Each structure stands twice: as C-alpha cells, then as structure tokens.
C-alpha cells in the first residue's frame, strides 16, 4: 500500500528542523539548499513508495562511493557535469556571450602543476609504444586575431586508457603539459595517440550503470584548459573521430564542434618539420576565446583537484 505523508504537518516540521531553520547559527544558503534537497528526496520516497530496504541499500552505496573516490566520475556518468554545461551555455546565451569554442566537461582526472613551456612541449616520456601524435592549433579572439601568451593546459590518457598520477606505473606528469602560445597564438604538443577508457569494472560507478543497463566507456579524447588575460577561461576537450564510442560517450561530453581527426601523415618533409623521423598522426584544434572584463571569469572554477592548493 502506498501512503502519502509529504504534506503532513509532521513532515513539514521535520524538514524545517532537519535543515536548521529553527537555529540562528550556520549558513542561510546551506539551509536553503539542504531544505530543497531533502524536500525533493522525501517527496521521491513518498511518490515512488521507496522501501526501507531500497533506502538502506542506497545508503550503503553512498558509503561505497565515498570510499572509492569515484563521486566525480559518477557525476559525469549520470549527466550532472553535462547538465552544468547545458545550464552554463543557457546563462551565457541569456547574457549575450555567444560564439567561441564550445565548452564541455572537465572530468575527474586533472592534475594541477604540469610543466609549462613556450610554444612547444613533448608530453610523453617515451615509454609507451603507441603511435606518435602531434597536437597543434592556434588560439584567437572572436575576430580571428591571435592571442599570444595564452596558456593551453593539455592532458590525456595513455594507450591503455590510464592517466598519470592516478596510474602509479606512469612517470610524474606523463601526458600532461602546459604550453604558452607564441606570437602567432600557436601551440604544438608532441605526444602519443590516446585510448578511451572504461569505468573501473568493480567500482560503484559501473555498479550503478549496470543497474540501469548502461555501459561506462569513453571515446579517445584530449582535455584542455585555455586561459589568457582579459579572456574567458575555457574548459573543453576533443574526441577523436572514428572511435566506436564517439557518439555514445558515457559522460555525454561529445559535441559535434569538438570532434577532431587524427590524420595519418607519411610525408617525410612534414615529419621533419616537427622534428620527427617517421609517420605520425596530426591533430589540429584551433581555439577561439571570448573577451571578458570580469577577472573571475579568466580562471577555472574552484573544485577539488589533485595537487591543487
């Protein structure tokens, strides 16, 4: 039998007290947020006739999720991070900030403090047998003028879909670099062709995805932060064309404007131009930044990240 108690005085009083509204201390914003979240959860229990067994199974799952450190991975997997992008896009449109390279999710695997260099960086440590890749492009404003000195922060997985720092078999900052653009707004990175990855098969993220009949795979991709004085910081990534999960990314990060081709180059002269002696894959990704007078918009948003103070 389903019995509805949400609108009873007892429940409404409980919500007020549980959210701290009867106390003078604390944050009013936190109280408002907690009250809304609790109200929605209580209502879901009421409307869906959630059983005690289902509720305590959910509590056990939250314990498992916390112990695993996969909360940010789950946030991407159930669409929260993409939802935040959709909402940010709508806010930008309403405020007249349209154009520029599209944003997409950061993901959970950024590590702050990667080595920085001017114009060019080699990202890999030479230990991965994957094919060589050159990633290059220009950073310009919305009038097509180059932005010199922009910082292009790039990170991606190795040929096994693993990221340095989290994968202890890799050297420090392997496949992670920051590059300042040259006077023409150009950046060049030598690296390896990355692979996509799947959620840890025994982890709580995949456990939930299995429960709802979804896979936990991402296509091969390359992450970017791009920042420059007087321009809006951009968080984005490119997904490599041809990957079987290109349009079935469990993290919902694929955008048509952010699909890049890894072109196989066999011309010795073109290889020599990049200091290479054999065939390589060329990925070109040009970036357009939008101007801003708000200094807060020139930096990435605050969230907990590895090695970031």
């Amino acid at each position: 039998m389903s019995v509805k108690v949400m609108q009873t005085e007892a429940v409404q009083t409980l919500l007020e007290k549980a959210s701290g509204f009867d106390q003078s201390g604390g944050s009013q914003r936190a109280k408002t947020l907690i009250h809304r979240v609790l109200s929605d959860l209580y209502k879901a229990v009421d409307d869906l006739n959630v059983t005690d067994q289902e509720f305590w199974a959910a509590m056990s799952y939250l314990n498992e999720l916390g112990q695993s450190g996969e909360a940010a991975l789950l946030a991407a997997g159930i669409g929260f991070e993409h939802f935040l992008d959709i909402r940010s896009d709508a806010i930008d449109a309403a405020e007249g900030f349209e154009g520029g390279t599209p944003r997409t999710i950061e993901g959970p695997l950024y590590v702050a403090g990667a080595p920085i260099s001017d114009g060019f960086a080699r990202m890999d440590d030479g230990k991965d047998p994957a094919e060589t890749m050159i990633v290059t492009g220009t950073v310009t404003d919305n009038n097509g003028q180059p932005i010199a000195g922009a910082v292009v922060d790039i990170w991606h997985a190795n040929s096994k879909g693993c990221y340095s720092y989290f994968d202890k078999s890799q050297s420090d900052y392997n496949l992670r670099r920051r590059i300042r653009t040259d006077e023409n707004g150009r950046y060049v990175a030598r690296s390896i062709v990355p692979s996509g990855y799947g959620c840890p098969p025994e982890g709580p993220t995949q456990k939930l995805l299995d429960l709802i009949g979804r896979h936990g795979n991402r296509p091969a991709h390359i992450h970017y932060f791009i920042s420059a004085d007087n321009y809006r910081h951009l968080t984005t990534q490119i997904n490599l064309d041809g990957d079987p999960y290109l349009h079935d990314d469990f993290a919902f990060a694929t955008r048509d404007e952010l699909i890049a081709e890894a072109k196989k180059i066999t011309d010795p002269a073109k290889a020599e131009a990049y200091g290479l002696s054999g065939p390589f894959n060329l990925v070109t990704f040009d970036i357009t930044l939008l101007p801003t007078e708000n200094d807060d918009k020139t930096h990435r948003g605050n969230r907990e990240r590895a090695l970031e103070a």
Side-chain angles (χ1 to χ4, degrees):
M1 176 184 293
S2 178
V3 176
K4 300 295 178 66
V5 299
M6 186 63 195
Q7 298 307 320
T8 63
E9 182 179 353
V11 171
Q12 294 304 310
T13 300
L14 173 62
L15 278 169
E16 293 285 314
K17 290 184 175 182
S19 304
F21 281 135
D22 63 338
Q23 302 297 317
S24 59
S27 161
Q28 191 63 34
R29 174 65 171 171
K31 294 178 184 186
T32 300
L33 290 170
I34 292 296
H35 185 272
R36 176 58 185 270
V37 171
L38 286 178
S39 295
D40 289 348
L41 288 173
Y42 284 15
K43 189 173 188 302
V45 170
D46 219 22
D47 289 347
L48 299 174
N49 198 26
V50 173
T51 66
D52 287 1
Q53 182 177 344
E54 289 171 328
F55 174 81
W56 290 113
M59 294 303 99
S60 294
Y61 178 81
L62 291 178
N63 281 334
E64 182 182 355
L65 183 66
Q67 291 166 2
S68 72
E70 287 189 16
L73 182 65
L74 179 64
I78 58 177
F80 261 111
E81 200 168 0
H82 182 52
F83 168 76
L84 293 175
D85 281 346
I86 292 173
R87 193 166 184 274
S88 293
D89 286 347
I91 292 170
D92 284 351
E95 295 179 348
F97 289 102
E98 295 183 291
T101 299
R103 62 167 54 87
T104 194
I105 71 169
E106 173 184 332
L109 299 171
Y110 178 73
V111 175
I116 189 166
S117 57
D118 293 320
F120 169 83
R122 179 165 181 177
M123 297 180 63
D124 69 299
D125 60 11
K127 298 177 181 178
D128 194 311
E131 294 182 4
T132 300
M133 175 180 70
I134 295 291
V135 183
T136 186
T138 56
V139 180
T140 63
D141 64 18
N142 52 343
N143 293 313
Q145 296 301 305
I147 302 175
V151 176
V152 181
D153 197 340
I154 310 176
W155 70 103
H156 65 77
N158 66 5
S159 62
K160 297 179 180 179
C162 300
Y163 286 77
S164 63
Y165 180 84
F166 303 96
D167 171 18
K168 300 305 181 184
S169 71
Q170 296 185 52
S171 59
D172 290 346
Y173 290 110
N174 188 42
L175 309 176
R176 301 178 185 274
R177 289 296 186 275
R178 292 176 292 163
I179 306 170
R180 280 186 291 258
T181 57
D182 65 16
E183 66 274 12
N184 298 310
R186 181 176 170 83
Y187 70 94
V188 181
R190 175 180 170 178
S191 194
I192 59 169
V193 177
S195 291
Y197 69 82
C199 294
E202 304 304 322
T205 301
Q206 190 58 56
K207 183 177 181 179
L208 186 146
L209 294 173
D210 288 343
L211 191 63
I212 58 178
R214 290 182 52 209
H215 70 74
N217 295 297
R218 296 217 60 206
H221 56 283
I222 303 168
H223 291 274
Y224 282 80
F225 283 154
I226 308 98
S227 58
D229 291 342
N230 304 314
Y231 290 90
R232 288 165 64 95
H233 171 85
L234 177 65
T235 298
T236 194
Q237 63 182 271
I238 51 176
N239 287 356
L240 298 184
D241 201 6
D243 191 286
Y245 292 103
L246 180 63
H247 294 290
D248 190 21
D249 180 355
F250 102 100
F252 308 101
T254 303
R255 302 184 70 157
D256 289 343
E257 308 96 318
L258 299 175
I259 296 172
E261 180 183 0
K263 296 181 179 179
K264 191 75 171 183
I265 307 296
T266 57
D267 184 340
K270 292 182 179 179
E272 187 177 354
Y274 288 108
L276 303 174
S277 58
F280 67 100
N281 295 271
L282 179 62
V283 176
T284 302
F285 182 47
D286 296 323
I287 299 151
T288 301
L289 299 181
L290 296 177
T292 182
E293 296 179 357
N294 185 343
D295 286 344
D296 290 341
K297 296 289 187 180
T298 64
H299 307 288
R300 58 180 176 261
N302 291 328
R303 61 181 275 189
E304 185 173 331
R305 301 179 177 95
L307 303 185
E308 188 159 51

